[in-house]
Amino acid sequence: MGKTVVCGVDEAGRGPLAGPVYAAAVILDPARQIRGLADSKVLKAERREVLSERIKERAISFAISSASVEEIDRLNIFQASMLAMKRAVEALGVHPEEAWIDGNQCPRELPCRARAFVDGDARHKPISAASILAKTARDAEMRALHERYPGYGFDQHKGYATAEHLDALGRAGPCEIHRRSFYPIGVFYERDLFRDSWANLPEAQRVRRYRLLMLRHARRQLRD
């Protein structure tokens, strides 16, 4: 009997305050090995790009999908991530017999068997490959979105809650690709909490007030 056809599946972009969440599915070719596959988070950006091209050249099949900011806000980030992974598996040109998912849960209604692996992106090469494709695809999308929304630094932080990103939010408020269901963005749409008084403040005071609000939120999370 031949070996089971396995696709590795992983997502990128659950944590950021802006932009879509991406997922990839990859069926590696045992006859065309790729050296250096690892969790995308431990690889330098240049190395990820090199490996991404090799994966695309040598894999039996791969697919990259996403879930939009609107879907993240409507479904929640976990369900949107599951949806992006399901779309990636369904988009493969070769039907896998089994999907190996990074994490502790699998998307529902996949077209094949599924197994979840905690830290799978560091333990299993098909999942490592998927993590690299998802990460590089999302990074490319955030660089493109930076051209449309240049005031936030999306090309640098890719939407994550860095100090620079939070300062930009304090100055200008969110744009249409920010995730309203995430607290640091949602406060701008709660009229009685933040929006009207913030808009009337000088820029320096807006940044300072927003920083203080985020610090209080972080402290509450630590207590909880």
Side-chain angles (χ1 to χ4, degrees), residues 6-12 21-27 60-67 71 79-96 98-102 107-112 126-127 129-131 133-135 137:
V6 170
C7 71
V9 186
D10 201 2
E11 52 76 25
V21 60
Y22 268 69
V26 181
I27 301 174
I60 292 173
S61 184
F62 72 88
I64 301 168
S65 297
S66 65
E71 288 171 321
Q79 294 298 340
S81 298
M82 294 291 109
L83 177 60
M85 289 194 283
K86 181 174 183 288
R87 286 171 173 166
V89 175
E90 291 175 340
L92 286 169
V94 174
H95 182 74
E98 190 165 276
W100 290 4
I101 315 294
D102 182 54
R108 297 179 179 178
E109 299 178 355
L110 288 178
C112 61
I127 303 178
S131 76
L133 291 192
K135 174 64 174 168

Side-chain angles (χ1 to χ4, degrees), residues 10-11 38-44 48 102 119 121-122 131-132 135 160:
D10 201 2
E11 52 76 25
D39 175 5
S40 64
K41 295 186 291 295
V42 305
L43 297 169
K44 292 183 178 180
R48 284 198 299 265
D102 182 54
D119 295 327
D121 48 6
S131 76
I132 291 167
K135 174 64 174 168
Y160 283 89

